[in-house]
Amino acid sequence: MAQTSQISPAPSIANIDHWPERVQMAAAFRWTERLNMHEAVANHFSLAVNEDGTQFLMNPNQMHFARIRASDLLLLDANDPDTLERPGAPDPTAWGLHGSVHRHCRHARCVMHVHSIHATVLACLADSTLPPIDQNTATFYNRYVVDEGFSGLAFESEGERCARMLSDPKVKVMIMGNHGVLILGDSVADTFNRMYYFERAAETYIRALQTGQPLRVLSDEIAEKTARELDDYPGQAERHMSELMAILDDEKSNYAS
């Protein structure tokens, strides 16, 4: 019988709201590092914790993913203009990108931004579209947007521009040209699972290109059918996250502290 991770109760720390969400976020950071999808002390994940999505948890400024604990996460307000002036302020580019998305895209409950290797290679191609050549690539058929307007680090104006491209709730991925990838989801589990599979899909496509052979591309009808079936596949994301947390628990990791 498979082991299911149990979220431990919050430690005795003042103002430590949203504990189950914090624990899942910390697990996502730890596994992103373990999968080598992190970027030194850069890249950021955020999770909305109020109804309109404007209050959100995010990782501290320049803390390595391998060390982040549930209690380390910042609780921010996208509508607070003084955020960057406060003690313990987030990274300015993280605030610019994630603050803008949470301010304007209520449906984007969780946002994960990485410069993972294969997704970034895809973002560097003149044509950054992802053709449906297998089940994983078909997952994202008609569910991503390619940003071709990169203009430097994602400070607030860049973040606002990106947020305007994410108004359609069907769009779950932004392939950020010359930059990396931005993944949206309904929860930590949903978003992490999507980020994992997008990196796998990008790797499959890049490796297929490297063969120099013609690609076997699925028809539009089959690609859309596959994407819809995977959209509705029950419980996979939650089970994926539960198993990853169980592994961390077996290793006596301090992520849930």
Side-chain angles (χ1 to χ4, degrees), residues 162-229:
C162 289
R164 289 194 292 271
M165 300 179 65
L166 296 169
S167 59
D168 182 355
K170 186 178 180 180
V171 172
K172 300 295 189 182
V173 175
M174 174 182 279
I175 300 170
M176 306 175 79
N178 306 105
H179 188 171
V181 66
L182 190 75
I183 310 290
L184 308 182
D186 299 328
S187 65
V188 176
D190 178 50
T191 312
F192 179 86
N193 193 61
R194 183 168 294 112
M195 181 179 71
Y196 171 87
Y197 277 105
F198 188 83
E199 180 66 7
R200 290 293 293 262
E203 180 176 7
T204 296
Y205 177 51
I206 297 302
R207 288 179 179 269
L209 290 179
Q210 290 172 338
T211 69
Q213 298 296 312
L215 300 178
R216 187 192 300 273
V217 181
L218 296 172
S219 69
D220 293 345
E221 293 76 16
I222 295 299
E224 178 60 32
K225 177 178 180 290
T226 303
R228 283 199 311 270
E229 290 171 342

Short mmCIF file of all heavy atoms in Angstrom, two decimals, residues 162-229:
data_model
loop_
_atom_site.label_atom_id
_atom_site.label_comp_id
_atom_site.label_asym_id
_atom_site.label_seq_id
_atom_site.Cartn_x
_atom_site.Cartn_y
_atom_site.Cartn_z
N CYS A 162 3.63 40.97 -19.17
CA CYS A 162 3.40 39.53 -19.19
C CYS A 162 2.01 39.18 -18.67
O CYS A 162 1.33 38.30 -19.23
CB CYS A 162 4.47 38.83 -18.35
SG CYS A 162 6.13 38.82 -19.07
N ALA A 163 1.57 39.84 -17.61
CA ALA A 163 0.25 39.56 -17.04
C ALA A 163 -0.85 39.78 -18.06
O ALA A 163 -1.85 39.04 -18.07
CB ALA A 163 0.02 40.42 -15.80
N ARG A 164 -0.69 40.78 -18.91
CA ARG A 164 -1.72 41.05 -19.93
C ARG A 164 -1.86 39.91 -20.92
O ARG A 164 -2.91 39.75 -21.55
CB ARG A 164 -1.40 42.36 -20.66
CG ARG A 164 -1.62 43.61 -19.81
CD ARG A 164 -1.61 44.86 -20.66
NE ARG A 164 -0.31 45.14 -21.24
CZ ARG A 164 0.64 45.88 -20.63
NH1 ARG A 164 0.40 46.40 -19.42
NH2 ARG A 164 1.79 46.10 -21.21
N MET A 165 -0.84 39.09 -21.06
CA MET A 165 -0.88 37.96 -22.00
C MET A 165 -1.49 36.71 -21.38
O MET A 165 -1.65 35.69 -22.05
CB MET A 165 0.53 37.64 -22.50
CG MET A 165 1.20 38.78 -23.24
SD MET A 165 2.88 38.34 -23.79
CE MET A 165 2.52 37.03 -24.97
N LEU A 166 -1.86 36.78 -20.09
CA LEU A 166 -2.33 35.60 -19.37
C LEU A 166 -3.79 35.73 -18.94
O LEU A 166 -4.22 35.07 -18.00
CB LEU A 166 -1.44 35.38 -18.14
CG LEU A 166 0.02 35.06 -18.45
CD1 LEU A 166 0.86 35.12 -17.18
CD2 LEU A 166 0.16 33.70 -19.12
N SER A 167 -4.54 36.56 -19.64
CA SER A 167 -5.93 36.81 -19.24
C SER A 167 -6.86 35.63 -19.52
O SER A 167 -7.91 35.49 -18.89
CB SER A 167 -6.46 38.06 -19.94
OG SER A 167 -6.41 37.90 -21.36
N ASP A 168 -6.50 34.76 -20.46
CA ASP A 168 -7.33 33.61 -20.81
C ASP A 168 -7.04 32.47 -19.83
O ASP A 168 -5.92 31.95 -19.80
CB ASP A 168 -7.03 33.17 -22.24
CG ASP A 168 -7.88 31.99 -22.70
OD1 ASP A 168 -8.64 31.44 -21.87
OD2 ASP A 168 -7.77 31.61 -23.88
N PRO A 169 -8.02 32.04 -19.02
CA PRO A 169 -7.77 30.96 -18.05
C PRO A 169 -7.32 29.65 -18.68
O PRO A 169 -6.76 28.80 -17.99
CB PRO A 169 -9.13 30.80 -17.36
CG PRO A 169 -9.81 32.11 -17.54
CD PRO A 169 -9.37 32.59 -18.89
N LYS A 170 -7.57 29.46 -19.98
CA LYS A 170 -7.13 28.23 -20.64
C LYS A 170 -5.61 28.20 -20.80
O LYS A 170 -5.01 27.12 -20.90
CB LYS A 170 -7.80 28.11 -22.00
CG LYS A 170 -7.53 26.79 -22.71
CD LYS A 170 -8.27 26.70 -24.04
CE LYS A 170 -8.00 25.38 -24.74
NZ LYS A 170 -8.71 25.28 -26.04
N VAL A 171 -4.98 29.38 -20.82
CA VAL A 171 -3.52 29.46 -20.98
C VAL A 171 -2.87 29.14 -19.64
O VAL A 171 -3.01 29.89 -18.67
CB VAL A 171 -3.10 30.85 -21.48
CG1 VAL A 171 -1.57 30.97 -21.45
CG2 VAL A 171 -3.63 31.09 -22.88
N LYS A 172 -2.15 28.04 -19.60
CA LYS A 172 -1.52 27.58 -18.36
C LYS A 172 0.00 27.74 -18.37
O LYS A 172 0.64 27.53 -17.34
CB LYS A 172 -1.87 26.11 -18.13
CG LYS A 172 -3.35 25.81 -18.00
CD LYS A 172 -3.96 26.46 -16.78
CE LYS A 172 -5.39 25.98 -16.55
NZ LYS A 172 -6.00 26.64 -15.37
N VAL A 173 0.57 28.06 -19.53
CA VAL A 173 2.02 28.15 -19.66
C VAL A 173 2.37 29.36 -20.51
O VAL A 173 1.74 29.59 -21.55
CB VAL A 173 2.61 26.88 -20.32
CG1 VAL A 173 4.12 27.04 -20.55
CG2 VAL A 173 2.33 25.66 -19.46
N MET A 174 3.36 30.12 -20.07
CA MET A 174 3.96 31.15 -20.92
C MET A 174 5.38 30.74 -21.22
O MET A 174 6.21 30.61 -20.32
CB MET A 174 3.95 32.53 -20.25
CG MET A 174 4.71 33.58 -21.06
SD MET A 174 4.77 35.20 -20.26
CE MET A 174 3.14 35.81 -20.72
N ILE A 175 5.65 30.48 -22.50
CA ILE A 175 7.03 30.25 -22.94
C ILE A 175 7.64 31.63 -23.13
O ILE A 175 7.27 32.37 -24.04
CB ILE A 175 7.07 29.43 -24.24
CG1 ILE A 175 6.39 28.07 -24.03
CG2 ILE A 175 8.51 29.25 -24.73
CD1 ILE A 175 6.16 27.29 -25.32
N MET A 176 8.53 32.00 -22.23
CA MET A 176 9.06 33.35 -22.19
C MET A 176 10.28 33.43 -23.09
O MET A 176 11.38 33.02 -22.72
CB MET A 176 9.40 33.74 -20.75
CG MET A 176 8.23 33.56 -19.79
SD MET A 176 8.63 33.88 -18.06
CE MET A 176 8.60 35.67 -18.06
N GLY A 177 10.07 33.95 -24.30
CA GLY A 177 11.14 33.99 -25.29
C GLY A 177 12.41 34.62 -24.75
O GLY A 177 12.36 35.67 -24.10
N ASN A 178 13.54 33.97 -24.98
CA ASN A 178 14.86 34.42 -24.50
C ASN A 178 14.97 34.46 -22.98
O ASN A 178 15.85 35.13 -22.44
CB ASN A 178 15.20 35.82 -25.06
CG ASN A 178 15.09 35.89 -26.55
OD1 ASN A 178 14.14 36.46 -27.09
ND2 ASN A 178 16.06 35.30 -27.25
N HIS A 179 14.11 33.71 -22.30
CA HIS A 179 14.09 33.86 -20.84
C HIS A 179 13.91 32.52 -20.12
O HIS A 179 14.82 32.04 -19.47
CB HIS A 179 12.96 34.84 -20.46
CG HIS A 179 12.95 35.23 -19.02
ND1 HIS A 179 12.13 36.22 -18.53
CD2 HIS A 179 13.62 34.76 -17.95
CE1 HIS A 179 12.32 36.35 -17.23
NE2 HIS A 179 13.22 35.47 -16.85
N GLY A 180 12.73 31.92 -20.18
CA GLY A 180 12.45 30.70 -19.43
C GLY A 180 10.99 30.32 -19.60
O GLY A 180 10.43 30.45 -20.68
N VAL A 181 10.36 29.91 -18.52
CA VAL A 181 8.96 29.49 -18.61
C VAL A 181 8.21 29.92 -17.35
O VAL A 181 8.78 29.99 -16.26
CB VAL A 181 8.87 27.96 -18.80
CG1 VAL A 181 9.38 27.21 -17.58
CG2 VAL A 181 7.46 27.52 -19.15
N LEU A 182 6.93 30.25 -17.52
CA LEU A 182 6.04 30.61 -16.42
C LEU A 182 4.87 29.65 -16.46
O LEU A 182 4.21 29.50 -17.49
CB LEU A 182 5.55 32.05 -16.59
CG LEU A 182 4.82 32.67 -15.39
CD1 LEU A 182 5.82 33.03 -14.31
CD2 LEU A 182 4.06 33.92 -15.83
N ILE A 183 4.61 28.98 -15.34
CA ILE A 183 3.56 27.97 -15.26
C ILE A 183 2.48 28.44 -14.29
O ILE A 183 2.79 28.90 -13.18
CB ILE A 183 4.13 26.63 -14.75
CG1 ILE A 183 5.38 26.21 -15.55
CG2 ILE A 183 3.06 25.55 -14.79
CD1 ILE A 183 5.12 25.81 -16.96
N LEU A 184 1.22 28.31 -14.69
CA LEU A 184 0.09 28.68 -13.85
C LEU A 184 -0.69 27.43 -13.46
O LEU A 184 -0.71 26.44 -14.20
CB LEU A 184 -0.85 29.63 -14.59
CG LEU A 184 -0.24 30.87 -15.23
CD1 LEU A 184 -1.35 31.71 -15.88
CD2 LEU A 184 0.55 31.69 -14.23
N GLY A 185 -1.37 27.49 -12.31
CA GLY A 185 -2.20 26.38 -11.90
C GLY A 185 -3.17 26.76 -10.81
O GLY A 185 -3.15 27.89 -10.30
N ASP A 186 -4.01 25.80 -10.43
CA ASP A 186 -5.04 26.02 -9.42
C ASP A 186 -4.54 25.79 -8.01
O ASP A 186 -5.20 26.19 -7.04
CB ASP A 186 -6.23 25.08 -9.69
CG ASP A 186 -6.87 25.33 -11.04
OD1 ASP A 186 -6.87 26.49 -11.49
OD2 ASP A 186 -7.37 24.37 -11.64
N SER A 187 -3.42 25.11 -7.87
CA SER A 187 -2.87 24.75 -6.57
C SER A 187 -1.38 24.49 -6.74
O SER A 187 -0.86 24.45 -7.87
CB SER A 187 -3.55 23.49 -6.03
OG SER A 187 -3.26 22.38 -6.86
N VAL A 188 -0.69 24.29 -5.62
CA VAL A 188 0.74 23.94 -5.70
C VAL A 188 0.91 22.63 -6.46
O VAL A 188 1.76 22.53 -7.36
CB VAL A 188 1.34 23.82 -4.29
CG1 VAL A 188 2.80 23.36 -4.37
CG2 VAL A 188 1.26 25.15 -3.55
N ALA A 189 0.12 21.63 -6.12
CA ALA A 189 0.25 20.32 -6.77
C ALA A 189 -0.01 20.43 -8.27
O ALA A 189 0.75 19.88 -9.08
CB ALA A 189 -0.72 19.32 -6.13
N ASP A 190 -1.07 21.11 -8.65
CA ASP A 190 -1.43 21.27 -10.06
C ASP A 190 -0.32 21.97 -10.83
O ASP A 190 0.06 21.55 -11.92
CB ASP A 190 -2.73 22.06 -10.15
CG ASP A 190 -3.17 22.32 -11.58
OD1 ASP A 190 -3.22 21.37 -12.37
OD2 ASP A 190 -3.47 23.49 -11.89
N THR A 191 0.23 23.02 -10.25
CA THR A 191 1.24 23.82 -10.95
C THR A 191 2.57 23.09 -11.03
O THR A 191 3.22 23.08 -12.08
CB THR A 191 1.41 25.17 -10.25
OG1 THR A 191 0.12 25.74 -10.01
CG2 THR A 191 2.22 26.14 -11.10
N PHE A 192 2.99 22.46 -9.92
CA PHE A 192 4.25 21.71 -9.95
C PHE A 192 4.17 20.58 -10.95
O PHE A 192 5.12 20.33 -11.71
CB PHE A 192 4.59 21.17 -8.56
CG PHE A 192 5.87 20.38 -8.55
CD1 PHE A 192 7.08 21.02 -8.39
CD2 PHE A 192 5.86 19.01 -8.74
CE1 PHE A 192 8.28 20.30 -8.41
CE2 PHE A 192 7.04 18.28 -8.76
CZ PHE A 192 8.26 18.94 -8.59
N ASN A 193 3.06 19.86 -10.96
CA ASN A 193 2.89 18.74 -11.89
C ASN A 193 3.00 19.23 -13.33
O ASN A 193 3.65 18.61 -14.19
CB ASN A 193 1.54 18.08 -11.64
CG ASN A 193 1.39 16.74 -12.32
OD1 ASN A 193 2.13 15.81 -12.05
ND2 ASN A 193 0.42 16.64 -13.23
N ARG A 194 2.35 20.36 -13.61
CA ARG A 194 2.40 20.93 -14.97
C ARG A 194 3.81 21.37 -15.32
O ARG A 194 4.28 21.16 -16.44
CB ARG A 194 1.43 22.11 -15.06
CG ARG A 194 1.33 22.72 -16.45
CD ARG A 194 0.17 23.69 -16.56
NE ARG A 194 -1.10 22.97 -16.43
CZ ARG A 194 -1.94 23.11 -15.40
NH1 ARG A 194 -1.65 23.94 -14.42
NH2 ARG A 194 -3.05 22.41 -15.37
N MET A 195 4.53 21.98 -14.38
CA MET A 195 5.91 22.41 -14.63
C MET A 195 6.80 21.20 -14.93
O MET A 195 7.62 21.24 -15.86
CB MET A 195 6.45 23.17 -13.42
CG MET A 195 7.87 23.69 -13.59
SD MET A 195 8.46 24.61 -12.14
CE MET A 195 8.63 23.27 -10.95
N TYR A 196 6.63 20.14 -14.15
CA TYR A 196 7.41 18.92 -14.36
C TYR A 196 7.18 18.38 -15.77
O TYR A 196 8.14 18.07 -16.49
CB TYR A 196 7.01 17.89 -13.31
CG TYR A 196 7.59 16.52 -13.55
CD1 TYR A 196 8.85 16.18 -13.07
CD2 TYR A 196 6.88 15.56 -14.28
CE1 TYR A 196 9.39 14.92 -13.31
CE2 TYR A 196 7.40 14.31 -14.51
CZ TYR A 196 8.66 13.98 -14.03
OH TYR A 196 9.18 12.75 -14.26
N TYR A 197 5.91 18.28 -16.16
CA TYR A 197 5.61 17.68 -17.46
C TYR A 197 5.98 18.62 -18.62
O TYR A 197 6.31 18.14 -19.71
CB TYR A 197 4.14 17.26 -17.53
CG TYR A 197 3.93 15.90 -16.92
CD1 TYR A 197 3.33 15.77 -15.67
CD2 TYR A 197 4.36 14.75 -17.57
CE1 TYR A 197 3.16 14.51 -15.09
CE2 TYR A 197 4.20 13.50 -17.00
CZ TYR A 197 3.60 13.39 -15.76
OH TYR A 197 3.45 12.14 -15.20
N PHE A 198 5.95 19.92 -18.39
CA PHE A 198 6.37 20.81 -19.47
C PHE A 198 7.87 20.65 -19.72
O PHE A 198 8.32 20.62 -20.88
CB PHE A 198 6.05 22.27 -19.16
CG PHE A 198 6.31 23.16 -20.34
CD1 PHE A 198 5.35 23.29 -21.34
CD2 PHE A 198 7.52 23.83 -20.50
CE1 PHE A 198 5.59 24.07 -22.47
CE2 PHE A 198 7.77 24.61 -21.61
CZ PHE A 198 6.80 24.73 -22.60
N GLU A 199 8.64 20.53 -18.67
CA GLU A 199 10.08 20.32 -18.86
C GLU A 199 10.35 19.01 -19.57
O GLU A 199 11.20 18.93 -20.47
CB GLU A 199 10.81 20.36 -17.51
CG GLU A 199 12.31 20.16 -17.58
CD GLU A 199 13.07 21.28 -18.28
OE1 GLU A 199 12.45 22.32 -18.61
OE2 GLU A 199 14.29 21.12 -18.51
N ARG A 200 9.61 17.96 -19.22
CA ARG A 200 9.76 16.67 -19.90
C ARG A 200 9.36 16.79 -21.37
O ARG A 200 10.01 16.22 -22.26
CB ARG A 200 8.91 15.60 -19.20
CG ARG A 200 9.41 15.21 -17.83
CD ARG A 200 10.75 14.49 -17.90
NE ARG A 200 10.65 13.20 -18.54
CZ ARG A 200 10.54 12.04 -17.89
NH1 ARG A 200 10.51 12.03 -16.56
NH2 ARG A 200 10.46 10.90 -18.54
N ALA A 201 8.27 17.52 -21.64
CA ALA A 201 7.82 17.70 -23.02
C ALA A 201 8.85 18.47 -23.83
O ALA A 201 9.15 18.10 -24.98
CB ALA A 201 6.48 18.44 -23.03
N ALA A 202 9.40 19.53 -23.24
CA ALA A 202 10.41 20.31 -23.95
C ALA A 202 11.65 19.47 -24.23
O ALA A 202 12.24 19.54 -25.32
CB ALA A 202 10.78 21.55 -23.13
N GLU A 203 12.03 18.62 -23.27
CA GLU A 203 13.20 17.76 -23.48
C GLU A 203 12.94 16.77 -24.62
O GLU A 203 13.82 16.55 -25.48
CB GLU A 203 13.54 17.00 -22.20
CG GLU A 203 14.75 16.09 -22.38
CD GLU A 203 15.18 15.40 -21.10
OE1 GLU A 203 14.48 15.52 -20.08
OE2 GLU A 203 16.23 14.72 -21.14
N THR A 204 11.77 16.17 -24.65
CA THR A 204 11.45 15.24 -25.73
C THR A 204 11.55 15.92 -27.08
O THR A 204 12.13 15.38 -28.04
CB THR A 204 10.03 14.67 -25.53
OG1 THR A 204 10.00 13.91 -24.32
CG2 THR A 204 9.61 13.79 -26.69
N TYR A 205 10.98 17.12 -27.19
CA TYR A 205 11.00 17.85 -28.45
C TYR A 205 12.43 18.22 -28.86
O TYR A 205 12.83 18.01 -30.02
CB TYR A 205 10.14 19.10 -28.33
CG TYR A 205 10.14 19.97 -29.56
CD1 TYR A 205 9.89 19.44 -30.83
CD2 TYR A 205 10.40 21.33 -29.46
CE1 TYR A 205 9.89 20.25 -31.95
CE2 TYR A 205 10.40 22.15 -30.58
CZ TYR A 205 10.15 21.60 -31.82
OH TYR A 205 10.15 22.40 -32.93
N ILE A 206 13.21 18.74 -27.91
CA ILE A 206 14.59 19.13 -28.23
C ILE A 206 15.40 17.91 -28.67
O ILE A 206 16.16 17.96 -29.66
CB ILE A 206 15.26 19.80 -27.01
CG1 ILE A 206 14.53 21.10 -26.64
CG2 ILE A 206 16.74 20.07 -27.29
CD1 ILE A 206 14.45 22.12 -27.73
N ARG A 207 15.25 16.80 -27.98
CA ARG A 207 15.99 15.59 -28.35
C ARG A 207 15.53 15.05 -29.70
O ARG A 207 16.34 14.53 -30.48
CB ARG A 207 15.86 14.53 -27.26
CG ARG A 207 16.63 14.87 -25.99
CD ARG A 207 16.45 13.79 -24.93
NE ARG A 207 17.20 14.08 -23.74
CZ ARG A 207 18.45 13.67 -23.50
NH1 ARG A 207 19.10 12.97 -24.42
NH2 ARG A 207 19.06 13.97 -22.37
N ALA A 208 14.25 15.17 -29.99
CA ALA A 208 13.75 14.74 -31.30
C ALA A 208 14.35 15.61 -32.40
O ALA A 208 14.75 15.09 -33.47
CB ALA A 208 12.23 14.82 -31.34
N LEU A 209 14.44 16.91 -32.19
CA LEU A 209 15.07 17.80 -33.17
C LEU A 209 16.53 17.42 -33.41
O LEU A 209 17.03 17.51 -34.53
CB LEU A 209 15.00 19.25 -32.70
CG LEU A 209 13.63 19.93 -32.69
CD1 LEU A 209 13.78 21.37 -32.16
CD2 LEU A 209 13.02 19.95 -34.09
N GLN A 210 17.20 16.98 -32.35
CA GLN A 210 18.63 16.65 -32.46
C GLN A 210 18.89 15.46 -33.37
O GLN A 210 19.99 15.30 -33.88
CB GLN A 210 19.21 16.39 -31.06
CG GLN A 210 19.33 17.66 -30.22
CD GLN A 210 19.73 17.36 -28.79
OE1 GLN A 210 19.54 16.24 -28.30
NE2 GLN A 210 20.27 18.35 -28.10
N THR A 211 17.89 14.62 -33.57
CA THR A 211 18.09 13.47 -34.47
C THR A 211 18.18 13.90 -35.93
O THR A 211 18.71 13.16 -36.77
CB THR A 211 16.94 12.46 -34.34
OG1 THR A 211 15.73 13.02 -34.88
CG2 THR A 211 16.72 12.04 -32.89
N GLY A 212 17.62 15.07 -36.26
CA GLY A 212 17.60 15.52 -37.64
C GLY A 212 16.58 14.80 -38.51
O GLY A 212 16.53 15.02 -39.72
N GLN A 213 15.79 13.95 -37.90
CA GLN A 213 14.79 13.18 -38.65
C GLN A 213 13.44 13.92 -38.65
O GLN A 213 13.17 14.73 -37.78
CB GLN A 213 14.61 11.80 -38.01
CG GLN A 213 15.87 10.95 -38.01
CD GLN A 213 16.32 10.61 -39.42
OE1 GLN A 213 15.53 10.17 -40.24
NE2 GLN A 213 17.60 10.83 -39.69
N PRO A 214 12.58 13.63 -39.64
CA PRO A 214 11.24 14.25 -39.64
C PRO A 214 10.47 13.87 -38.38
O PRO A 214 10.61 12.76 -37.86
CB PRO A 214 10.58 13.66 -40.89
CG PRO A 214 11.72 13.24 -41.76
CD PRO A 214 12.80 12.79 -40.83
N LEU A 215 9.65 14.79 -37.90
CA LEU A 215 8.86 14.54 -36.69
C LEU A 215 7.51 13.93 -37.04
O LEU A 215 6.90 14.28 -38.05
CB LEU A 215 8.63 15.85 -35.93
CG LEU A 215 9.89 16.59 -35.46
CD1 LEU A 215 9.51 17.88 -34.77
CD2 LEU A 215 10.74 15.71 -34.54
N ARG A 216 7.04 13.03 -36.20
CA ARG A 216 5.70 12.46 -36.35
C ARG A 216 4.75 13.31 -35.49
O ARG A 216 4.61 13.11 -34.29
CB ARG A 216 5.69 11.02 -35.88
CG ARG A 216 4.36 10.28 -36.15
CD ARG A 216 4.32 8.95 -35.39
NE ARG A 216 5.40 8.06 -35.77
CZ ARG A 216 5.35 7.21 -36.79
NH1 ARG A 216 4.26 7.15 -37.55
NH2 ARG A 216 6.37 6.42 -37.07
N VAL A 217 4.09 14.29 -36.11
CA VAL A 217 3.26 15.26 -35.40
C VAL A 217 1.81 14.78 -35.38
O VAL A 217 1.26 14.39 -36.42
CB VAL A 217 3.36 16.65 -36.04
CG1 VAL A 217 2.50 17.66 -35.28
CG2 VAL A 217 4.82 17.12 -36.07
N LEU A 218 1.19 14.82 -34.21
CA LEU A 218 -0.21 14.42 -34.08
C LEU A 218 -1.13 15.40 -34.81
O LEU A 218 -0.82 16.59 -34.93
CB LEU A 218 -0.60 14.38 -32.60
CG LEU A 218 0.12 13.35 -31.72
CD1 LEU A 218 -0.23 13.58 -30.26
CD2 LEU A 218 -0.23 11.95 -32.15
N SER A 219 -2.26 14.91 -35.23
CA SER A 219 -3.25 15.80 -35.85
C SER A 219 -3.80 16.76 -34.80
O SER A 219 -3.74 16.50 -33.59
CB SER A 219 -4.39 14.98 -36.45
OG SER A 219 -5.16 14.38 -35.41
N ASP A 220 -4.37 17.87 -35.25
CA ASP A 220 -4.98 18.83 -34.33
C ASP A 220 -6.05 18.15 -33.50
O ASP A 220 -6.18 18.42 -32.29
CB ASP A 220 -5.58 20.01 -35.11
CG ASP A 220 -4.53 20.85 -35.80
OD1 ASP A 220 -3.34 20.71 -35.46
OD2 ASP A 220 -4.90 21.67 -36.66
N GLU A 221 -6.86 17.30 -34.12
CA GLU A 221 -7.96 16.65 -33.43
C GLU A 221 -7.46 15.74 -32.30
O GLU A 221 -7.97 15.77 -31.18
CB GLU A 221 -8.81 15.84 -34.42
CG GLU A 221 -9.57 16.68 -35.44
CD GLU A 221 -8.67 17.21 -36.55
OE1 GLU A 221 -7.53 16.70 -36.72
OE2 GLU A 221 -9.12 18.13 -37.27
N ILE A 222 -6.46 14.93 -32.61
CA ILE A 222 -5.94 14.00 -31.60
C ILE A 222 -5.19 14.76 -30.51
O ILE A 222 -5.28 14.42 -29.32
CB ILE A 222 -5.03 12.93 -32.25
CG1 ILE A 222 -5.85 12.04 -33.18
CG2 ILE A 222 -4.34 12.09 -31.18
CD1 ILE A 222 -6.97 11.29 -32.48
N ALA A 223 -4.47 15.81 -30.89
CA ALA A 223 -3.74 16.60 -29.89
C ALA A 223 -4.70 17.25 -28.91
O ALA A 223 -4.49 17.21 -27.68
CB ALA A 223 -2.89 17.66 -30.59
N GLU A 224 -5.78 17.84 -29.43
CA GLU A 224 -6.76 18.49 -28.54
C GLU A 224 -7.48 17.46 -27.68
O GLU A 224 -7.72 17.69 -26.48
CB GLU A 224 -7.76 19.29 -29.37
CG GLU A 224 -8.86 19.96 -28.56
CD GLU A 224 -8.35 20.95 -27.53
OE1 GLU A 224 -7.30 21.60 -27.78
OE2 GLU A 224 -9.00 21.07 -26.47
N LYS A 225 -7.83 16.32 -28.27
CA LYS A 225 -8.48 15.24 -27.50
C LYS A 225 -7.59 14.78 -26.36
O LYS A 225 -8.04 14.60 -25.21
CB LYS A 225 -8.80 14.08 -28.42
CG LYS A 225 -9.41 12.85 -27.74
CD LYS A 225 -9.75 11.78 -28.77
CE LYS A 225 -10.37 10.54 -28.10
NZ LYS A 225 -9.35 9.80 -27.31
N THR A 226 -6.30 14.60 -26.64
CA THR A 226 -5.36 14.17 -25.62
C THR A 226 -5.24 15.21 -24.52
O THR A 226 -5.23 14.87 -23.32
CB THR A 226 -3.98 13.90 -26.25
OG1 THR A 226 -4.12 12.92 -27.28
CG2 THR A 226 -2.99 13.40 -25.21
N ALA A 227 -5.14 16.47 -24.90
CA ALA A 227 -5.02 17.55 -23.92
C ALA A 227 -6.25 17.60 -23.02
O ALA A 227 -6.14 17.76 -21.79
CB ALA A 227 -4.82 18.89 -24.62
N ARG A 228 -7.45 17.45 -23.60
CA ARG A 228 -8.67 17.47 -22.80
C ARG A 228 -8.72 16.28 -21.84
O ARG A 228 -9.12 16.42 -20.68
CB ARG A 228 -9.91 17.43 -23.71
CG ARG A 228 -10.23 18.75 -24.38
CD ARG A 228 -11.69 18.75 -24.85
NE ARG A 228 -12.03 17.56 -25.61
CZ ARG A 228 -11.92 17.43 -26.93
NH1 ARG A 228 -11.45 18.45 -27.65
NH2 ARG A 228 -12.25 16.30 -27.53
N GLU A 229 -8.31 15.12 -22.32
CA GLU A 229 -8.33 13.94 -21.47
C GLU A 229 -7.38 14.11 -20.28
O GLU A 229 -7.69 13.71 -19.15
CB GLU A 229 -7.95 12.70 -22.28
CG GLU A 229 -9.03 12.29 -23.29
CD GLU A 229 -8.57 11.21 -24.25
OE1 GLU A 229 -7.33 11.00 -24.38
OE2 GLU A 229 -9.43 10.58 -24.88
#
